[in-house]
């Protein structure tokens, strides 16, 4: 049974930090891209960041570039999203996705991911 489980959400004040975790299990994914998404105006979910766990390539949305860092622990098969300098507009439910696109150019497109977690709430107060 495939499981993708997020943790680490919470409430912080603007300027604070949080680290989200995403553990994937129960399947040997044929594609090694894992990503983080959140809802956005006009979109069900927008890509926040993604990582190719074998090669280490990372991708970020412009809105989080320089503030968020995605990383992967191969031994634990866990992806992390370290979020610094948080802003109220970062408030959202953050979803982890696994088995993402072969090509990095598609990293931000949710339809290219096959497995999703239930989401974890991040709330940033001003």
């Amino acid at each position: 049974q495939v499981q993708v489980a997020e943790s680490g959400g919470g409430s912080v004040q603007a300027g604070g930090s949080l680290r989200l975790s995403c553990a994937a299990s129960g399947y040997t994914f044929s594609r090694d891209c894992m990503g983080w998404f959140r809802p956005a105006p006009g979109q069900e979910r927008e890509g926040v960041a993604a990582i190719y766990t074998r090669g280490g390539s990372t991708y970020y949305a412009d809105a989080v570039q320089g503030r968020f860092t995605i990383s992967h622990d191969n031994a634990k098969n866990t992806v992390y999203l370290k979020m610094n300098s948080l802003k109220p507009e970062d408030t959202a439910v953050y979803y982890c996705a696994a088995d993402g696109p072969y090509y990095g150019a598609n990293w931000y497109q949710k339809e290219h991911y096959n497995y999703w977690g239930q989401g974890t709430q991040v709330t940033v107060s001003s």
Side-chain angles (χ1 to χ4, degrees), residues 9-25:
S11 298
V12 295
Q13 290 190 325
S17 298
L18 283 173
R19 189 180 80 159
L20 306 183
S21 301
C22 173
S25 62

Side-chain angles (χ1 to χ4, degrees), residues 53-121:
T53 60
R54 297 190 189 114
S57 296
T58 57
Y59 299 85
Y60 297 94
D62 289 344
V64 307
Q65 180 76 48
R67 299 189 297 122
F68 291 11
T69 302
I70 190 169
S71 60
H72 181 252
D73 185 327
N74 286 333
K76 297 180 179 180
N77 203 24
T78 298
V79 170
Y80 303 98
L81 185 68
K82 182 65 186 302
M83 305 184 295
N84 295 326
S85 302
L86 282 162
K87 305 176 181 179
E89 51 263 43
D90 294 318
T91 295
V93 177
Y94 284 72
Y95 297 92
C96 179
D99 204 29
Y102 285 114
Y103 302 109
N106 301 127
W107 76 268
Y108 60 95
Q109 296 174 316
K110 60 178 177 58
E111 58 267 28
H112 290 286
Y113 293 78
N114 290 319
Y115 299 98
W116 292 83
Q118 294 299 305
T120 185
Q121 177 70 47

